[in-house]
Amino acid sequence: MMKIKVMSVFGTRPEAIKMAPLVMELAKRSNIDSLCCLTGQHREMLDSVMSIFRLHSDYDLNIMQKQQTLSSITTRTLLGMEEVLSEAKPDLILVHGDTSTTFAGALAAFYHKIPVGHVEAGLRTYDQYSPFPEEMNRTLVGDIAALHFAPTDANAQNLRKEAVRGEIFITGNTVIDAMKTTVRPDYRFATEKLNRLDFSERKIIALTCHRRENYGQPMHDIFRAVRQIVQTHPDVEVVYPVHLSPVVRECALQELGGMERIHLIDPIDVEEMHNLIARCCFVMTDSGGLQEEAPAMGKPVLVLRRETERPEAVAAGTVKLAGVAYDNIVRLANALLEQPEVYDRMAHAVNPYGDGNACRRIADAIEWHFGLRSEKPENFQAQVK
Ligand code: UD1
Ligand code: UDP
């Protein structure tokens, strides 16, 4: 039987979370030899995901440096991939999303004339500096890829509009597949601080903030707004697992440190995070992934960014673009905390991003592309509510 070699290349926490269910699906296919190459763009945060999903790596470039620059991530990945690709000679490389690992991994494959499959393709703001550098990373990979796995119909439409080369499949987002295994009603937190939270009597806000375009003044303004929200609502507590980036940690500590009802904790593993979202009151975040996960659990989200490449949940009413200005963030959070009708309007579960079968569709599409399967997978169709 003909077997193809598929190498998944990833390096940051969100890529690992969203690639994990796909790597597991590929491993089940008898005609696919599945390999993992980690860049190690993140170290601790990546290793935590690998261990939760019990994944092992075949290659690890271990590129992370303290306060690394975009150029160093890109060049170290390119150089590292050189040897890996020459040795492993995969038939297909899979990259995910929009990080520097994604871009450099795809470029390295292109230099070796190895086709690239892009998972989570076609999301766009069409502002090259927002999110930065992710918008450009994702767009450039769109030019390189031979297979585009677009989560939603709108993402596929962007790619068609840009007349990208290659085939487009609408698959849903793999993060919804991942959540099938992580979210459990009887889940007990491993982090004692989370077990001690009173989710029924207190309004618990889950906060994350880490993006490069928010470094500096925007991040200070966001955190000052959070402080104000907590100070004016005695029943509110904030849980913020602070990203390991030194820039983020310094700002968080300076603006939010030492406050009784603001819990600054280290990053938590993905099971802890998903179950925290499932139980919290609402989410404030500049993360991409959380904008997909929280709506699936019926939790309102205030997005701490000027733009989003994920407009589907905004249209569905579960997500609001709060921006980065102090006044607007405080105003929107106050409305959620003080006006039950505003909260209820936002707090309904919507799944515009997937139905939990994205990985099956992607693996089927790969097999179809290589002539190992006769039928093309059906497209994911979001349920219209
Ligand atoms: C990266 C991605 C961003 C993604 C984010 C997810 C790029 C350009 N950015 O940004 O798209 O949203 O990951 O979290 O690809 N660090 C550690 N240990 C870790 C992880 C990070 O110490 O496990 C520290 C290091 O000092 C590192 C710094 O965080 O230099 C920044 O990491 P980096 O990957 O460059 O940027 P992120 O902001 O994490
Ligand atoms: N996440 C996690 N632990 C944390 C914070 C976030 O497991 O302490 C998860 C979150 O649920 C989501 C992903 O990490 O699946 C998002 O990653 P991040 O915010 O770092 O990147 P982005 O999605 O913005 O690219």
Coordinates of all heavy atoms in Angstrom, one line a residue, residues 169-234:
F169 N -10.4 23.9 1.1 CA -11.4 23.0 1.8 C -12.0 23.8 3.0 O -11.2 24.5 3.7 CB -10.8 21.7 2.3 CG -10.1 21.0 1.2 CD1 -8.7 21.3 0.9 CD2 -10.7 19.9 0.5 CE1 -8.0 20.5 -0.1 CE2 -10.0 19.2 -0.5 CZ -8.7 19.5 -0.8
I170 N -13.3 23.7 3.2 CA -13.9 24.3 4.4 C -14.1 23.2 5.4 O -14.9 22.3 5.2 CB -15.2 25.0 4.0 CG1 -15.0 26.0 2.9 CG2 -15.8 25.7 5.3 CD1 -16.2 26.6 2.4
T171 N -13.4 23.4 6.5 CA -13.3 22.2 7.4 C -13.8 22.5 8.8 O -14.0 21.5 9.6 CB -11.8 21.8 7.6 OG1 -11.1 23.0 8.2 CG2 -11.2 21.5 6.3
G172 N -14.0 23.7 9.2 CA -14.2 24.0 10.7 C -12.9 24.2 11.3 O -11.8 23.8 10.7
N173 N -12.9 24.7 12.5 CA -11.6 24.9 13.2 C -11.3 23.7 14.1 O -12.2 23.3 14.9 CB -11.7 26.2 14.1 CG -10.3 26.7 14.5 OD1 -9.5 25.9 15.1 ND2 -9.9 27.9 14.1
T174 N -10.1 23.3 14.1 CA -9.7 22.1 14.9 C -9.8 22.3 16.4 O -9.8 21.4 17.2 CB -8.2 21.7 14.5 OG1 -7.4 22.8 14.8 CG2 -8.1 21.3 13.1
V175 N -9.8 23.6 16.8 CA -9.9 23.8 18.3 C -11.2 23.3 18.8 O -11.3 22.9 20.0 CB -9.7 25.3 18.6 CG1 -11.0 26.1 18.4 CG2 -9.3 25.5 20.0
I176 N -12.3 23.3 18.0 CA -13.5 22.7 18.5 C -13.4 21.2 18.7 O -14.0 20.7 19.6 CB -14.7 23.1 17.5 CG1 -14.7 24.6 17.2 CG2 -16.0 22.6 18.0 CD1 -15.0 25.5 18.4
D177 N -12.6 20.6 17.8 CA -12.3 19.1 18.0 C -11.6 18.9 19.4 O -11.9 18.0 20.1 CB -11.4 18.6 16.9 CG -12.0 18.7 15.5 OD1 -12.8 19.6 15.3 OD2 -11.6 17.9 14.6
A178 N -10.6 19.8 19.6 CA -9.8 19.7 20.8 C -10.7 19.8 22.1 O -10.5 19.1 23.1 CB -8.7 20.7 20.9
M179 N -11.7 20.7 22.0 CA -12.5 20.9 23.2 C -13.4 19.7 23.6 O -13.9 19.6 24.7 CB -13.4 22.1 23.0 CG -12.6 23.4 23.2 SD -13.5 24.9 22.6 CE -15.1 24.7 23.3
K180 N -13.6 18.8 22.6 CA -14.4 17.6 22.9 C -13.7 16.8 24.0 O -14.4 16.0 24.7 CB -14.5 16.8 21.6 CG -15.5 17.3 20.6 CD -16.1 16.2 19.7 CE -15.0 15.8 18.7 NZ -15.5 15.2 17.5
T181 N -12.4 16.9 24.1 CA -11.7 16.0 25.1 C -11.3 16.8 26.3 O -11.1 16.2 27.4 CB -10.4 15.5 24.5 OG1 -9.5 16.5 24.1 CG2 -10.6 14.6 23.3
T182 N -11.3 18.1 26.3 CA -10.8 18.9 27.4 C -11.9 19.4 28.4 O -11.7 19.5 29.6 CB -10.0 20.1 27.0 OG1 -10.8 20.9 26.1 CG2 -8.7 19.8 26.3
V183 N -13.1 19.7 27.9 CA -14.1 20.3 28.7 C -15.0 19.2 29.4 O -15.5 18.4 28.7 CB -15.0 21.2 27.9 CG1 -16.0 21.9 28.8 CG2 -14.2 22.3 27.2
R184 N -15.0 19.2 30.7 CA -15.8 18.2 31.4 C -16.5 18.8 32.6 O -15.9 19.6 33.4 CB -14.8 17.1 32.0 CG -14.1 16.3 30.8 CD -13.4 15.1 31.4 NE -12.2 15.4 32.2 CZ -11.0 15.7 31.7 NH1 -10.8 15.6 30.4 NH2 -10.0 15.9 32.5
P185 N -17.8 18.5 32.8 CA -18.5 19.2 33.9 C -18.0 18.8 35.3 O -18.0 19.6 36.2 CB -20.0 18.6 33.7 CG -20.0 17.8 32.5 CD -18.6 17.7 31.9
D186 N -17.4 17.6 35.4 CA -16.9 17.2 36.7 C -15.4 17.5 36.9 O -14.8 17.0 37.8 CB -17.2 15.7 36.9 CG -16.4 14.9 35.9 OD1 -16.0 15.4 34.9 OD2 -16.4 13.6 36.0
Y187 N -14.9 18.3 36.0 CA -13.5 18.6 36.0 C -13.0 19.2 37.4 O -13.7 20.2 37.9 CB -13.1 19.5 34.9 CG -11.6 19.8 34.8 CD1 -10.8 18.9 34.1 CD2 -11.1 20.9 35.3 CE1 -9.4 19.1 34.1 CE2 -9.7 21.2 35.2 CZ -8.9 20.2 34.6 OH -7.5 20.5 34.5
R188 N -11.9 18.8 37.9 CA -11.4 19.4 39.1 C -10.0 20.0 38.8 O -9.2 19.4 38.2 CB -11.1 18.3 40.2 CG -11.3 18.8 41.6 CD -11.0 17.8 42.7 NE -10.1 18.4 43.6 CZ -10.5 19.3 44.5 NH1 -11.7 19.7 44.6 NH2 -9.6 19.8 45.4
F189 N -9.9 21.3 39.1 CA -8.7 22.0 38.7 C -7.5 21.5 39.4 O -7.6 21.2 40.6 CB -8.8 23.5 39.0 CG -9.8 24.3 38.2 CD1 -11.0 24.7 38.7 CD2 -9.6 24.5 36.8 CE1 -12.0 25.3 37.9 CE2 -10.5 25.2 36.0 CZ -11.7 25.6 36.6
A190 N -6.3 21.4 38.7 CA -5.1 21.0 39.4 C -4.5 22.2 40.1 O -3.8 22.1 41.1 CB -4.1 20.5 38.4
T191 N -4.8 23.5 39.6 CA -4.3 24.7 40.2 C -5.2 25.0 41.5 O -6.4 25.3 41.3 CB -4.4 25.9 39.2 OG1 -3.9 25.4 38.0 CG2 -3.6 27.1 39.7
E192 N -4.6 24.9 42.7 CA -5.5 25.1 43.9 C -6.2 26.4 43.9 O -7.4 26.5 44.3 CB -4.6 25.0 45.1 CG -4.8 23.7 45.9 CD -6.2 23.1 45.8 OE1 -7.2 23.7 46.3 OE2 -6.4 22.0 45.2
K193 N -5.6 27.5 43.4 CA -6.2 28.8 43.4 C -7.5 28.8 42.6 O -8.5 29.4 43.0 CB -5.2 29.8 42.8 CG -5.4 31.2 43.3 CD -4.2 32.1 43.0 CE -4.1 33.2 44.0 NZ -2.9 33.9 43.8
L194 N -7.5 28.0 41.6 CA -8.8 27.9 40.8 C -9.8 27.1 41.5 O -11.0 27.5 41.4 CB -8.5 27.3 39.4 CG -7.5 28.1 38.5 CD1 -7.3 27.3 37.2 CD2 -8.0 29.5 38.2
N195 N -9.4 26.1 42.2 CA -10.4 25.3 43.0 C -11.1 26.1 44.1 O -12.2 25.9 44.5 CB -9.7 24.1 43.6 CG -9.8 22.9 42.7 OD1 -10.7 22.8 41.9 ND2 -8.8 22.0 42.8
R196 N -10.3 27.1 44.6 CA -10.9 27.9 45.7 C -11.8 29.0 45.2 O -12.5 29.7 46.0 CB -9.7 28.5 46.5 CG -9.0 27.5 47.4 CD -8.2 28.2 48.5 NE -7.2 29.0 48.0 CZ -5.9 28.6 47.8 NH1 -5.6 27.4 48.1 NH2 -5.0 29.4 47.4
L197 N -11.9 29.3 43.9 CA -12.7 30.3 43.4 C -14.2 30.0 43.6 O -14.6 28.8 43.4 CB -12.5 30.6 41.9 CG -11.1 31.2 41.6 CD1 -11.0 31.2 40.1 CD2 -11.0 32.7 42.1
D198 N -15.0 31.0 43.9 CA -16.5 30.7 44.1 C -17.2 31.1 42.8 O -17.6 32.3 42.7 CB -16.9 31.5 45.3 CG -18.4 31.2 45.7 OD1 -19.1 30.5 44.8 OD2 -18.8 31.5 46.8
F199 N -17.3 30.2 41.9 CA -17.9 30.6 40.6 C -19.4 30.9 40.7 O -19.9 31.5 39.8 CB -17.7 29.4 39.6 CG -16.3 29.3 39.1 CD1 -15.4 28.4 39.8 CD2 -15.8 30.1 38.1 CE1 -14.1 28.3 39.4 CE2 -14.4 30.0 37.7 CZ -13.6 29.1 38.3
S200 N -20.1 30.4 41.7 CA -21.5 30.7 41.8 C -21.8 32.1 42.5 O -22.7 32.8 42.0 CB -22.3 29.6 42.5 OG -21.7 29.2 43.6
E201 N -21.0 32.4 43.5 CA -21.3 33.7 44.2 C -20.6 34.9 43.6 O -21.0 36.0 43.8 CB -21.0 33.5 45.7 CG -21.9 32.6 46.4 CD -23.3 33.0 46.4 OE1 -23.6 34.2 46.6 OE2 -24.2 32.1 46.2
R202 N -19.4 34.6 43.0 CA -18.6 35.7 42.5 C -18.7 35.8 41.0 O -19.0 34.8 40.3 CB -17.1 35.5 42.8 CG -16.9 35.5 44.3 CD -16.9 36.9 44.8 NE -16.3 36.9 46.1 CZ -15.7 38.0 46.6 NH1 -15.6 39.1 45.9 NH2 -15.2 38.0 47.8
K203 N -18.5 37.0 40.4 CA -18.5 37.1 39.0 C -17.0 37.0 38.6 O -16.2 37.9 38.8 CB -19.1 38.4 38.5 CG -20.6 38.4 38.7 CD -21.2 39.7 38.2 CE -22.7 39.6 38.3 NZ -23.3 40.9 38.4
I204 N -16.6 35.9 38.0 CA -15.2 35.6 37.7 C -15.0 36.0 36.2 O -15.7 35.4 35.3 CB -14.9 34.1 37.9 CG1 -15.3 33.6 39.3 CG2 -13.4 33.9 37.6 CD1 -14.5 34.0 40.4
I205 N -14.1 36.9 36.0 CA -13.7 37.3 34.6 C -12.4 36.6 34.3 O -11.4 36.7 35.1 CB -13.5 38.8 34.5 CG1 -14.8 39.5 34.8 CG2 -13.1 39.1 33.0 CD1 -14.7 41.0 34.8
A206 N -12.3 35.8 33.2 CA -11.1 35.2 32.7 C -10.4 36.2 31.7 O -11.0 36.7 30.8 CB -11.3 33.9 32.0
L207 N -9.2 36.6 32.1 CA -8.5 37.6 31.3 C -7.2 37.0 30.7 O -6.5 36.3 31.3 CB -8.1 38.8 32.2 CG -7.1 39.8 31.6 CD1 -7.7 40.7 30.6 CD2 -6.6 40.7 32.8
T208 N -6.9 37.3 29.4 CA -5.6 37.1 28.8 C -5.2 38.2 27.9 O -6.1 38.8 27.3 CB -5.4 35.7 28.0 OG1 -5.9 35.9 26.7 CG2 -6.0 34.5 28.7
C209 N -3.9 38.5 27.8 CA -3.5 39.7 27.0 C -2.0 39.5 26.7 O -1.2 39.3 27.7 CB -3.7 41.0 27.8 SG -3.4 42.4 26.8
H210 N -1.6 39.4 25.5 CA -0.2 39.2 25.2 C 0.3 39.7 23.9 O 1.5 39.7 23.6 CB 0.1 37.7 25.2 CG -0.5 37.0 24.0 ND1 -1.8 36.6 23.9 CD2 0.1 36.6 22.8 CE1 -2.0 36.0 22.7 NE2 -0.9 36.0 22.0
R211 N -0.6 40.3 23.1 CA -0.2 40.5 21.7 C 0.8 41.6 21.5 O 0.8 42.7 22.2 CB -1.4 40.9 20.8 CG -2.5 39.8 20.9 CD -3.3 39.9 19.6 NE -2.6 39.2 18.6 CZ -2.7 37.9 18.4 NH1 -3.4 37.1 19.1 NH2 -2.0 37.4 17.4
R212 N 1.7 41.4 20.5 CA 2.8 42.4 20.2 C 2.2 43.8 19.9 O 2.8 44.8 20.3 CB 3.6 41.9 19.1 CG 4.8 41.1 19.5 CD 5.6 40.7 18.3 NE 7.0 40.2 18.6 CZ 7.2 39.0 19.1 NH1 6.3 38.1 19.3 NH2 8.5 38.6 19.4
E213 N 1.1 43.9 19.2 CA 0.6 45.2 18.8 C 0.0 45.9 20.1 O -0.3 47.1 20.0 CB -0.4 45.2 17.7 CG -1.8 44.6 17.9 CD -1.8 43.1 17.6 OE1 -0.8 42.4 17.5 OE2 -2.9 42.6 17.5
N214 N -0.2 45.2 21.2 CA -0.7 45.8 22.4 C 0.4 46.2 23.3 O 0.2 46.8 24.4 CB -1.7 44.9 23.1 CG -3.1 45.0 22.5 OD1 -3.4 46.0 21.8 ND2 -3.9 44.0 22.7
Y215 N 1.7 45.8 23.0 CA 2.8 46.2 23.9 C 2.8 47.7 24.1 O 2.5 48.5 23.2 CB 4.1 45.8 23.2 CG 4.5 44.3 23.3 CD1 3.7 43.3 23.8 CD2 5.8 43.9 22.8 CE1 4.1 42.0 23.9 CE2 6.2 42.6 22.9 CZ 5.3 41.6 23.4 OH 5.7 40.3 23.4
G216 N 3.2 48.2 25.3 CA 3.3 49.6 25.5 C 2.0 50.2 26.0 O 1.2 49.6 26.8
Q217 N 1.7 51.4 25.5 CA 0.5 52.1 26.0 C -0.8 51.3 25.9 O -1.6 51.3 26.9 CB 0.3 53.4 25.2 CG -0.6 54.4 25.9 CD -0.1 54.8 27.3 OE1 1.1 55.1 27.5 NE2 -0.9 54.8 28.3
P218 N -1.1 50.6 24.8 CA -2.4 49.9 24.8 C -2.5 48.9 26.0 O -3.6 48.8 26.7 CB -2.4 49.2 23.5 CG -1.5 49.9 22.6 CD -0.5 50.5 23.5
M219 N -1.5 48.2 26.2 CA -1.5 47.2 27.3 C -1.7 47.9 28.7 O -2.5 47.4 29.5 CB -0.3 46.3 27.3 CG -0.5 44.9 27.9 SD 0.9 43.8 27.6 CE 0.5 43.1 26.0
H220 N -1.0 49.0 28.9 CA -1.2 49.7 30.1 C -2.7 50.2 30.3 O -3.3 50.1 31.3 CB -0.2 50.9 30.2 CG 1.2 50.6 30.6 ND1 1.6 50.4 31.9 CD2 2.2 50.3 29.8 CE1 2.9 50.0 31.9 NE2 3.3 50.0 30.6
D221 N -3.2 50.7 29.2 CA -4.6 51.2 29.2 C -5.6 50.0 29.5 O -6.5 50.2 30.3 CB -5.0 51.8 27.9 CG -4.2 53.2 27.7 OD1 -3.7 53.7 28.7 OD2 -4.2 53.7 26.6
I222 N -5.4 48.9 28.9 CA -6.2 47.7 29.1 C -6.2 47.3 30.6 O -7.2 47.1 31.2 CB -5.7 46.5 28.2 CG1 -6.0 46.8 26.7 CG2 -6.4 45.2 28.7 CD1 -5.3 45.8 25.8
F223 N -5.0 47.2 31.1 CA -4.9 46.8 32.5 C -5.4 47.8 33.5 O -6.0 47.5 34.5 CB -3.4 46.5 32.9 CG -2.9 45.3 32.1 CD1 -1.5 45.1 31.9 CD2 -3.7 44.3 31.7 CE1 -1.0 44.0 31.3 CE2 -3.2 43.1 31.0 CZ -1.8 43.0 30.8
R224 N -5.3 49.1 33.2 CA -5.9 50.1 34.0 C -7.4 50.0 34.0 O -8.1 50.2 35.0 CB -5.5 51.5 33.6 CG -4.1 51.9 34.0 CD -3.8 53.4 33.9 NE -4.2 54.0 32.6 CZ -5.2 54.8 32.4 NH1 -6.0 55.2 33.3 NH2 -5.4 55.2 31.1
A225 N -7.9 49.7 32.9 CA -9.4 49.5 32.8 C -9.8 48.3 33.6 O -10.8 48.4 34.3 CB -9.8 49.3 31.3
V226 N -9.1 47.2 33.6 CA -9.4 46.0 34.4 C -9.4 46.4 35.9 O -10.3 46.0 36.6 CB -8.4 44.9 34.1 CG1 -8.6 43.7 35.1 CG2 -8.5 44.4 32.6
R227 N -8.4 47.1 36.3 CA -8.3 47.6 37.7 C -9.5 48.4 38.1 O -10.1 48.1 39.1 CB -7.0 48.4 37.8 CG -6.5 48.4 39.2 CD -5.1 48.9 39.2 NE -5.1 50.3 38.8 CZ -4.0 51.0 38.3 NH1 -2.9 50.3 38.2 NH2 -4.1 52.2 38.0
Q228 N -9.9 49.3 37.2 CA -11.1 50.1 37.5 C -12.4 49.2 37.6 O -13.2 49.4 38.6 CB -11.3 51.1 36.4 CG -12.6 51.9 36.3 CD -12.7 52.9 37.5 OE1 -11.7 53.1 38.2 NE2 -13.9 53.4 37.7
I229 N -12.5 48.3 36.8 CA -13.7 47.4 36.8 C -13.7 46.6 38.1 O -14.8 46.5 38.7 CB -13.6 46.4 35.6 CG1 -13.8 47.2 34.2 CG2 -14.7 45.3 35.7 CD1 -13.2 46.4 33.0
V230 N -12.6 46.1 38.5 CA -12.6 45.3 39.8 C -12.8 46.3 41.0 O -13.6 45.9 41.9 CB -11.2 44.6 39.9 CG1 -11.0 44.0 41.3 CG2 -11.1 43.6 38.9
Q231 N -12.2 47.4 41.0 CA -12.4 48.4 42.1 C -13.8 48.8 42.3 O -14.3 49.1 43.4 CB -11.5 49.6 41.9 CG -10.1 49.3 42.4 CD -9.1 50.4 42.0 OE1 -9.4 51.2 41.1 NE2 -7.9 50.4 42.5
T232 N -14.6 48.9 41.2 CA -16.0 49.4 41.3 C -17.0 48.3 41.4 O -18.2 48.6 41.5 CB -16.3 50.3 40.0 OG1 -16.0 49.6 38.9 CG2 -15.6 51.6 40.1
H233 N -16.6 47.0 41.4 CA -17.5 45.9 41.6 C -17.0 44.9 42.6 O -16.2 44.1 42.3 CB -17.7 45.2 40.2 CG -18.3 46.0 39.2 ND1 -17.6 46.8 38.3 CD2 -19.6 46.2 38.8 CE1 -18.4 47.4 37.5 NE2 -19.7 47.1 37.8
P234 N -17.5 45.0 43.8 CA -17.0 44.2 44.9 C -17.2 42.7 44.7 O -16.5 41.8 45.3 CB -17.7 44.6 46.2 CG -18.5 45.8 45.8 CD -18.5 45.9 44.3

